[in-house]
Amino acid sequence: MALILGIESSCDETAAALVTSDGRVLAHRLAGQEDAHRPFGGVVPEIAARAHVEMATPLVAAVLADAGVTLDKVDAIAATAGPGLIGGVMVGLITGKALAHAAGKPLIAVNHLEGHALSPRLVDRDLAFPYLLLLVSGGHCQLLLVKGVGDYRRLATTIDDAAGEAFDKTAKLLGLGFPGGPAVERTALEGDPRAVPLPRPLVGSGEPHFSFAGLKSAVLRARDAGLYRPEDIAASFQQAVVDCLIDRTARAITIVEGATALVVAGGVAANEAVRGGLAALAGRSGLRFSAPPLWLCTDNGAMIAWAGAERFALGLIDDMDVPARARWPLDPNAEKARGAGVKA
Ligand code: KG4
Ligand code: ZN
């Protein structure tokens, strides 16, 4: 049994956790930065990086104290090495390197997306490779065949915005505050999902790619029309996103081979309408369904420690000169989606 320390700092959460290779979370802590970013309505990279500098070391000390262990009891140190806001990634990775160097422990450089991709296996111990993964976060919206640790085939991606980004922009347009996803979900509970006609971009198209920029523009037009309650716009927007995610995932199910489970991970997987829609799709498709608990969907240290544990078990450790990366695709061979980069 190995004990892994995980450090996460790729966006606006500083997080640390201690996880065992048999899937026990001994401690996990998170320091959000919402208050620092709220006045700007979004994450400011410079502010994020400074906050990570202040919080990374105290959080590591806190999880060690929570678990009642010292650093010499840890078998390896895993830190996010990208993709993400480069200043923050550098802070977390440097912290991991310094601790690994000082304690004489192996360093594991974790791809943040692999942290999300493997997170369901921390709690669902029967979830076996290969599985079809819908990875939906603030920065990414992808369908992947997860064949094994470090072995991914990307089936689809977004040609413009990520799903979480669409939630955040809609929240901003409706004045619901920051962070946007949970605010839209709360507001949508009071609204009618059929009240506002909104588009379902790319639904029905052959390749299972996503597009959300047009939906955001339609939300702006609906708001400016002055005909609809914000609750109804939020509910109709959320329904449109769910419909897109379900249609595109259903399309991927028809073309992917070998997957026995449908899995959702990433911040948007915390949304109950998204989880419910995908669970129903899995049921209709004869697939097992797996989604991490809500705290494990949004960024956290346990998923980085767990990805570290999975890599450590395979002997995948990194050199001290491993770089921090702003971009780091899980499938380096994936082709660019047609139309990618074109914002509606
Ligand atoms: O995985 P994550 O914490 O960070 C990234 O790696 O991007 O995902 C954050 C994204 C944000 O866009 C946030 O608005 C969205 O996940 N999100 C949600 C919910 N909770 C978080 N979107 C919809 N409904 C939610 N309940
Ligand atoms: Zn994330």
Side-chain angles (χ1 to χ4, degrees):
M1 204 264 304
L3 178 61
I4 313 293
L5 169 68
I7 302 168
E8 157 62 27
S9 61
S10 68
C11 190
D12 60 343
E13 323 271 7
T14 324
L18 280 165
V19 170
T20 63
S21 53
D22 58 357
R24 282 176 299 132
V25 180
L26 299 192
H28 77 99
R29 289 221 185 197
L30 195 139
Q33 308 171 358
E34 281 95 352
D35 294 344
H37 299 293
R38 187 167 288 116
F40 307 95
V43 178
V44 183
E46 263 303 306
I47 294 175
R50 280 164 204 260
H52 289 306
V53 170
E54 282 168 23
M55 293 314 299
T57 315
L59 281 180
V60 169
V63 292
L64 289 168
D66 290 348
V69 298
T70 46
L71 199 55
D72 57 297
K73 294 285 183 299
V74 168
D75 293 291
I77 296 169
T80 300
L85 300 173
I86 193 65
V89 175
M90 287 168 72
V91 172
L93 183 58
I94 280 282
T95 305
K97 285 181 180 180
L99 292 168
H101 184 68
K105 305 289 179 181
L107 172 77
I108 303 168
V110 172
N111 182 315
H112 178 86
L113 301 175
E114 178 157 71
H116 282 301
L118 299 178
S119 65
R121 283 165 52 88
L122 169 58
V123 283
D124 183 354
R125 305 316 310 285
D126 298 327
L127 177 61
F129 302 122
Y131 52 84
L132 177 62
L133 169 72
L134 174 63
L135 200 169
V136 268
S137 68
H140 296 86
C141 187
Q142 304 186 345
L143 283 156
L144 297 146
L145 181 63
V146 182
K147 295 192 275 187
V149 175
D151 189 2
Y152 301 88
R153 187 156 77 84
R154 200 194 73 190
L155 304 165
T157 186
T158 178
I159 64 169
D160 41 55
D161 295 348
E165 197 179 348
F167 269 95
D168 294 333
K169 287 177 175 172
T170 292
K172 205 168 178 178
L173 288 174
L174 298 179
L176 302 179
F178 174 83
V184 170
E185 181 170 23
R186 262 194 318 276
T187 309
L189 287 174
E190 313 295 323
D192 175 1
R194 290 162 314 228
V196 186
L198 293 173
R200 268 70 175 156
L202 293 185
V203 159
S205 71
E207 287 182 282
H209 293 310
F210 302 89
S211 168
F212 294 106
L215 187 52
K216 173 200 64 194
S217 310
V219 166
L220 175 63
R221 285 193 295 276
R223 182 199 70 179
D224 290 347
L227 300 170
Y228 305 108
R229 297 160 59 225
E231 292 84 352
D232 289 338
I233 300 178
S236 301
F237 161 80
Q238 180 173 273
Q239 187 61 52
V241 172
V242 170
D243 289 350
C244 293
L245 294 177
I246 301 303
D247 176 84
R248 311 289 59 218
T249 306
R251 179 73 196 137
I253 289 172
T254 65
I255 57 179
V256 76
E257 280 170 18
T260 54
L262 172 62
V263 176
V264 64
V268 182
N271 184 287
E272 291 297 341
V274 170
R275 295 166 84 88
L278 288 166
L281 171 65
R284 289 198 294 282
S285 310
L287 294 173
R288 197 170 174 278
F289 180 67
S290 190
L294 300 194
W295 72 269
L296 204 50
C297 290
T298 42
D299 290 348
N300 63 85
M303 71 181 196
I304 302 304
W306 175 249
E310 295 242 38
R311 296 187 79 80
F312 187 64
L314 298 172
L316 299 170
I317 60 173
D318 291 274
D319 292 336
M320 280 293 182
D321 61 356
V322 64
R325 306 180 205 187
R327 298 180 68 82
W328 186 2
L330 278 180
D331 177 359
N333 301 315
E335 286 173 22
K336 227 176 164 196
R338 249 191 302 274
V342 183
K343 297 240 177 187

